[in-house]
Amino acid sequence: MQAVLLSVGRLCCMTDAGSSHRHSAASEELTRMAVTLLLDTLGSEDASGLSQVDACAVYTLACLGVTYGMQDRRWAYDQVADALCKLYKGVQGRVGQHLLHGSPRAGCPGALADALFALAQGLNAAHTDIRYPLPAQPPQPQALLESSGKVEQDLQMRLLGLFVDFALNPLEGKQIWDLGALLPAIAALSQDLPAHQAVGKRKIHSNSFDILQVSQEDDANRIKMFRLLWLYAALYDLTGIGARGPKYPFPEAWRLGLGQIALASPFAVVGGGSETTEKLEAEFGERLLRLGPKAAAQTLAALLTETVSGSTSLTHPSSAARAAHVLIIAALNLVKVEVAPLPRPQDLPPVALLLAQQQVLGAASTDGPWLQAITERVMTVYCERLCGYAWSSQVDDISRITPCIDNLAKVLVENLTGRSGNPELASLADRLLHSMLARFPQLLWSAPVIQALLLELQREEGALYLTGAKPRLTLARVLRIRKKKKQVPLPAWTWLIKVVQEGAALAPAWTEALFHELLDQETSPASGAALRHAADIMSLYDSAKTRHCMAGMQHSISGVQALNRKARYRGIVAGFQSLGEAQAPLSAVGGLAQIAASLQEAIASHAPAKTLQNRYLQATAALIQSSSSNSMQLKLLHLIAWLPAHRFGTFSMSLAVFAWHWICAESPQLQVALIAEIVQAWLYTADNRMGIFECDFDAKLFMEGTVTDVEEATHGDDAVSSASPAPYGDTVVPLSPVDAITAHHIWVGFFLQTWQVMSYGASAESAATTALFTRMLQHSLKDSNGLSQHPAATGTALPTCLTKSPVPPLKTLMQPH
């Protein structure tokens, strides 16, 4: 019998696929015969029927449903879908007793749910990847795609209705398995229907009431079905959230399916702020009564408290319906951040809707404290998940983690100023942003976050202008206001000061280069605020960089001087390019070749410091402005990275560190290649016993005053030594040990700042930098007696030795002590 059923199904599929006319008479007749045969087989009341035969029949029926739905043969598809749903509801019927989990006589438990999953998965695959078996007279692709999409949405509504109807009465034991077994099928139909696509094509700002307004476009019945799905999923612990223990009692596929359903759930599922108690009673009242004690007000309140851990002090919702409403919000959002796929860079972060909902409700809402508790719990779970992914291989595309962190912080920044008139929301955003910064210090050097702060600064100034305050907030005035503790909220300014000061104290050159890059982005919405407050921010940076652990030995210039230097050499390179194109057009490779040859000649001929600086920074600006990768670009990168090895001294080292930070900030695609070359140059100085690796110094004689630095060598960057030949001319080894050690100290400062920024990143670049630094440290410190004994080397050798730490993760390396 099983072979006959399978043969009939295959015959129908082959005939329908090979028919030149979708609605030919022969095909229609065969379809009716096959469907009737299968329905008669399943509808028989013969109790001696085998479970395997029923399982084979429902699976064959599902395969036929895929074929009919794909071809938009609605009569046949409707017959298949109706039959499978009715069989699932018929718990007392023969098929239900054979194929459902809850039946003690089940021979193939779960087979009926598997058939529904096969139907849903087949239609979803047909909707996303349509192939035509015959090239002759194929149907129109767009028409077929639209018809398949309509069938897919129809089946989704059928399955949602089946889920909520199946859970209408209390379930126990294995009956809950029959409810949960429907989740993979619903999830399969939700993979290509995310909420942000289902509610229209308008662009939605993450901090806008449009998030809640566009939800009105969704069908009311669909919204109701999704709400009930999340209510029953929470009541029967299908979500796996809360403090019930780490082990999920059901198949993991159900939980993952709920994650996909969470992404596809319409925005209006969690409500738009107009959910009165009467409205909620009308929607949930009867269903909660039918569930009995399991859905009583006290039971729901206890479940809600358990789901949102840390909320024991909150007042319980006033009724069972309102408790169910808040429970739905908690379950959907927690599943979204715990098991759903990570959002794409263009998607809204998980807490955006929760914050927008609190804007609508205002501070006087009875649900406000619960929404705040849910938001804090969602943030905790989501940040723990992102933090766990940062140093693991659980994410296929690790580059998605950094945008997730940045977008989450941006949403919190957009709620700092309390534009909605809800001060508690602004306080919540501030508190959550503090916790994020403690967990993700890389936000101090995040360009999107700083841009968001500058935009909020504009809005903050506009709000003060409307209230009669001065529209121009200078740094001096802000600090004066804060010092006098006036009750004037300036959250954007406060956070901008915090980010600049803490970032500059940890990695001053990176912070400076990042802000310079923001000033150069004329098309950025934040460029106006950046230019208007450039002097204030530069002043903050200059005062904060003195707190860096190695600031006393760094040869740096002010932020304004650095900005002017970059602008000058950018202009020189742009002028050369314009002049060359006007006289004799040159290719990009040709232009880089000339600049590389000029720099190479300056290094090999030991050109004066001024000439070397001009050619070196011109080469840096040309490298940054080059648009395509080629062999000359790599050669130029090599020359820029190896300058300290060829002209070893404090001047060349300070010049190189300035250029390296400039390249890392404005050409991040060159970052790993540049650091790899810099590490090679460092290892070259270690192998040739330069600077802190020079072991011939006699500390005893120096302490006795028998020999001095002046007697050992003369000062100067341009003294020539032929002891260690380099690829481009002789390596210039400064004869003053102090000068050589100071040069290495500046170099170590670059590594410390780079590692401070890169060690927290969750990207392929951070992983590559980790590998490079680990190799560098292992090679540099392989000889415990390989460091200089000169007293001046203590300041350099100490932080270098402290970087040798076996404690994982590697972000503990190179931390200042």
Side-chain angles (χ1 to χ4, degrees), residues 409-553:
K410 283 171 59 180
V411 169
L412 296 177
V413 167
E414 290 165 359
N415 285 273
L416 282 175
T417 54
R419 296 192 304 273
S420 63
N422 187 349
E424 293 184 5
L425 179 59
S427 175
L428 174 65
D430 181 80
R431 189 165 65 252
L432 295 178
L433 196 56
H434 272 96
S435 66
M436 271 202 75
L437 185 59
R439 193 181 291 269
F440 303 110
Q442 66 265 37
L443 291 174
L444 294 171
W445 305 282
S446 169
V449 174
I450 295 178
Q451 287 178 337
L453 281 171
L454 290 170
L455 287 174
E456 284 304 301
L457 184 59
Q458 287 182 327
R459 299 189 183 101
E460 188 173 83
E461 290 179 327
L464 290 174
Y465 178 75
L466 292 176
T467 57
K470 295 181 180 180
R472 177 73 170 92
L473 279 175
T474 63
L475 176 63
R477 181 167 180 257
V478 171
L479 295 178
R480 189 162 57 249
I481 292 173
R482 294 175 64 190
K483 184 177 181 180
K484 293 182 178 179
K485 298 182 179 180
K486 290 185 177 181
Q487 297 300 318
V488 180
L490 301 171
W493 253 116
T494 301
W495 267 99
L496 192 60
I497 293 172
K498 178 182 178 65
V499 168
V500 172
Q501 287 182 335
E502 292 188 10
L506 294 173
W510 278 82
T511 306
E512 175 194 67
L514 174 62
F515 185 67
H516 288 174
E517 172 64 10
L518 292 178
L519 289 174
D520 192 47
Q521 296 178 1
E522 298 179 356
T523 59
S524 171
S527 62
L531 291 170
R532 190 163 59 254
H533 296 285
D536 291 336
I537 295 176
M538 292 289 189
S539 174
L540 276 175
Y541 159 77
D542 288 334
S543 61
K545 71 179 182 181
T546 58
R547 302 206 307 267
H548 187 256
C549 61
M550 301 181 73
M553 298 186 183

Side-chain angles (χ1 to χ4, degrees), residues 606 645-646 684 687-690 694 696 719-726 729-735:
H606 315 303
H646 304 323
Y684 178 86
D687 292 339
N688 286 275
R689 298 300 180 183
M690 300 163 64
E694 202 280 312
D696 296 334
V720 179
S721 170
S722 58
S724 303
D730 293 335
T731 300
V732 178
V733 181
L735 298 183

Side-chain angles (χ1 to χ4, degrees), residues 186-208:
I186 300 174
L189 295 167
S190 304
Q191 291 180 4
D192 297 307
L193 295 174
H196 62 273
Q197 291 182 3
V199 297
K201 299 181 179 180
R202 296 202 305 271
K203 185 177 181 180
I204 304 171
H205 190 269
S206 59
N207 189 34
S208 169

Side-chain angles (χ1 to χ4, degrees), residues 615-637:
R615 296 187 184 182
Y616 187 74
L617 294 181
Q618 287 176 25
T620 303
L623 180 66
I624 291 172
Q625 293 178 224
S626 61
S627 57
S628 59
S629 177
N630 50 65
S631 58
M632 290 311 303
Q633 187 186 60
L634 296 178
K635 181 178 181 180
L636 199 59
L637 190 73

